[in-house]
Amino acid sequence: MALNPNTKAWQRNTMIVLVLIATFAGMLNSTTLATAVPTLTKDFNISMSTAQQASTWFLLGNGIMIPVTAYLILKFKTKHLYIFAYIAIFIGTLMVFITPTSNYNIFLIGRIIQSIGVGITMPLLQVVLVELFPAEKRGAAMGLAGFPMALAPALGPTFAGWVLNANHHFLGFTLAATWRSIFFVPLVIIGICLVLSPFIIKNVLENEQVHLDFLSFIMSILGFGFFLWGFTNVASDGWTKFSTVLAPIIGGLIVIALFVVRQLHMKEPFLDMRVFKVKQFTISTLTLAVVTMAMMGVEMMLPIYLQEVRGLSALSSGLVLLPGSLLMTIVMLVSGRVFDKIGGKRLALTGFFLLAIGTFPFMFLNLSVSEHFITTVYGVRMIAVAMIMMSMFSSALNALPKNEVAHGTASSNTARQIASSVVVALFSSVTQNVTNNHAPAHALKAIDPLKYASQTMDAALKGFHVSFTMAFIFSILGIVVACFLQAGKIIIDDKDLEVKK
């Protein structure tokens, strides 16, 4: 049985609820380990950089799979693709959960398998919701899609901190305060969704007899894989390390360039890059990349500031940011309906103005700023990010006919993944360099320990201030880019273009 916009509401809604919950559980794995790195180093007897590979390889797997999903969505039935993705997430999560502490490689392999499933579910969710909702309600559809994609990564560190803080009970099980318990909840949720999937998930999308261009497939994996790998190594190796940073980035760019040229000359491209010939899609995708960079600049650095400078625990720092994450989810759902009425340009411009206002105070953070103030300002930022992301997802896909939505979704999410990797490398390296350049001489520690500690703290603050300033600049850049968006609501189907102003 297939689903379409005219299907009975309960059948459609049941499927939507299932895929939203499963996507949330899968994406929860993306950021939970940031808090658990110290426990991993202790249990596996590994270095901090080795432990961080658990997050690095997960992001790499996501980045590699997203461009491939356009082919998978067109080639395979929706139900089969979802079941495969859930099996991958379940097996990967189970491997991570039962990994013996004597073999960290099994842990990493499990994380990679997880990321393959999650990398499929993200763009597939967007394409499915576009198909299930009529064109004039795509804003609401993207608001739903943004629910797990925004909330799960934001809640990940707080959830992990809560688990590691004390023993808890879940469905009759006792969750010990260890890193294994972090994976138990998503494992159970994915397991339940996997069992229900054959009965609830229906085939939504029409399949095509697309031919797998094996060369394009390999070029996509190698190009995006090496490029993202190079940027993930910047934090540990610096920008000048040729073998692990410069060579992968340059090599990846070359392969990506060849990949793009090949796609533009193919009659049936593996990933149709011609979607970027549509001005509204291109500008919307660029806007998404900019807001991702502005968001990640604070999203990544603020928890570190709260823990290293303010001395908060992982759980406490997560709780400071939790209201903002919840606000972001609510605003995504509401903004979807607003987009359906007024379009994306006004939402994006308003969002970037709010983002700039919410980022500006972070440029002057010090030890005396209250945690309540940080929570409030961070909440303003998350409201702004939700307005922009939801509207630009919808704006990008509304600019394309339905037969190009799979390619557009894969291209848009790939651009966001690249932007995220670039900005994480940029901000972490800049912050570290500024901190190191302003750090006091080590000899001062023996002469005047108090002065040494004070100057060390000042150096760290200067590093964070520079990062937050860069995030503010990205907010201003977003205002400029959003000005080039077409006003009003754009709806394109396979036959015509309607612009409502």
Side-chain angles (χ1 to χ4, degrees), residues 48 52 300-314 317 367 431-432 435 453 456-457 460-461 464:
M48 186 75 72
Q52 288 174 338
M300 176 186 66
M301 303 309 301
L302 193 55
I304 300 175
Y305 160 82
L306 290 172
Q307 293 178 48
E308 293 189 357
V309 177
R310 302 296 290 263
L312 299 184
S313 66
S317 66
L367 296 177
T431 302
Q432 191 62 54
T435 301
T456 299
M457 191 67 69
L461 281 172
F464 286 115

Side-chain angles (χ1 to χ4, degrees), residues 56 113 136 187 200 202 205 215 228 247 255 377 397:
T56 299
I113 296 174
E136 64 272 13
L187 180 67
I200 294 178
K202 309 300 179 183
L205 308 168
L215 180 57
L228 295 172
V255 176
V377 177
L397 297 186

Side-chain angles (χ1 to χ4, degrees), residues 89-367:
I89 297 172
F90 184 83
I91 292 175
T93 307
L94 182 62
M95 286 180 63
V96 170
F97 181 71
I98 65 174
T99 297
T101 54
S102 59
N103 196 331
Y104 187 62
N105 289 332
I106 295 178
F107 188 93
L108 290 180
I109 292 172
R111 289 289 286 171
I112 293 171
I113 296 174
Q114 277 183 324
S115 71
I116 290 172
V118 174
I120 293 173
T121 58
M122 287 193 297
L124 181 57
L125 174 64
Q126 291 175 295
V127 177
V128 165
L129 290 180
V130 165
E131 184 67 27
L132 291 179
F133 283 77
E136 64 272 13
K137 293 185 178 180
R138 284 184 188 170
M142 290 303 98
L144 284 174
F147 171 75
M149 295 171 67
L151 184 61
L155 285 182
T158 305
F159 169 72
W162 174 77
V163 170
L164 295 172
N165 188 58
N167 293 342
H168 302 280
H169 299 284
F170 177 73
L171 296 179
F173 295 92
T174 298
L175 300 182
T178 70
W179 58 265
R180 294 185 191 276
S181 298
I182 293 173
F183 298 100
F184 183 76
V185 174
L187 180 67
V188 171
I189 295 174
I190 285 294
I192 294 172
C193 291
L194 178 58
V195 172
L196 295 177
S197 292
F199 308 101
I200 294 178
I201 295 182
K202 309 300 179 183
N203 295 317
V204 174
L205 308 168
E206 293 185 6
N207 297 123
E208 302 176 11
Q209 294 301 316
V210 290
H211 169 71
L212 174 61
D213 182 59
F214 190 72
L215 180 57
S216 294
F217 175 71
I218 296 299
M219 291 174 73
S220 172
I221 291 177
L222 292 179
F224 292 107
F226 276 116
F227 181 79
L228 295 172
W229 179 55
F231 274 102
T232 57
N233 290 332
V234 169
S236 58
D237 298 346
W239 288 95
T240 58
K241 187 71 175 291
F242 183 79
S243 60
T244 58
V245 176
L246 294 179
I249 291 175
I250 295 172
L253 281 173
I254 292 173
V255 176
I256 290 172
L258 294 174
F259 172 80
V260 171
V261 172
R262 180 173 179 80
Q263 303 315 297
L264 291 175
H265 287 84
M266 291 179 66
K267 185 177 180 181
E268 295 182 0
F270 178 77
L271 180 61
D272 194 352
M273 308 303 294
R274 287 183 286 259
V275 293
F276 286 102
K277 292 184 178 180
V278 180
K279 180 182 176 182
Q280 185 75 357
F281 174 83
T282 301
I283 296 176
S284 298
T285 300
L286 179 60
T287 307
L288 274 171
V290 173
V291 73
T292 298
M293 299 177 89
M295 177 187 73
M296 289 299 295
V298 174
E299 191 87 6
M300 176 186 66
M301 303 309 301
L302 193 55
I304 300 175
Y305 160 82
L306 290 172
Q307 293 178 48
E308 293 189 357
V309 177
R310 302 296 290 263
L312 299 184
S313 66
L315 176 59
S316 296
S317 66
L319 291 175
V320 169
L321 306 181
L322 181 60
S325 302
L326 297 177
L327 276 173
M328 181 179 184
T329 306
I330 296 170
V331 174
M332 273 230 176
L333 296 173
V334 174
S335 296
R337 299 184 182 279
V338 176
F339 173 87
D340 287 330
K341 295 181 179 179
I342 68 173
K345 184 172 184 176
R346 278 185 281 178
L347 273 172
L349 286 172
T350 304
F352 274 116
F353 275 114
L354 276 178
L355 189 59
I357 293 170
T359 305
F360 186 77
F362 286 116
M363 296 162 53
F364 307 97
L365 281 183
N366 54 50
L367 296 177

Side-chain angles (χ1 to χ4, degrees), residues 370-392:
S370 72
E371 293 168 17
H372 293 298
F373 178 79
I374 294 175
T375 299
T376 301
V377 177
Y378 182 76
V380 172
R381 293 191 86 255
M382 290 297 97
I383 290 173
V385 169
M387 292 172 63
I388 301 164
M389 278 197 167
M390 187 290 312
S391 61
M392 291 302 97

Side-chain angles (χ1 to χ4, degrees), residues 441-453:
H442 192 69
L444 182 63
K445 186 175 184 180
I447 300 171
D448 190 343
L450 291 179
K451 186 176 182 181
Y452 177 83

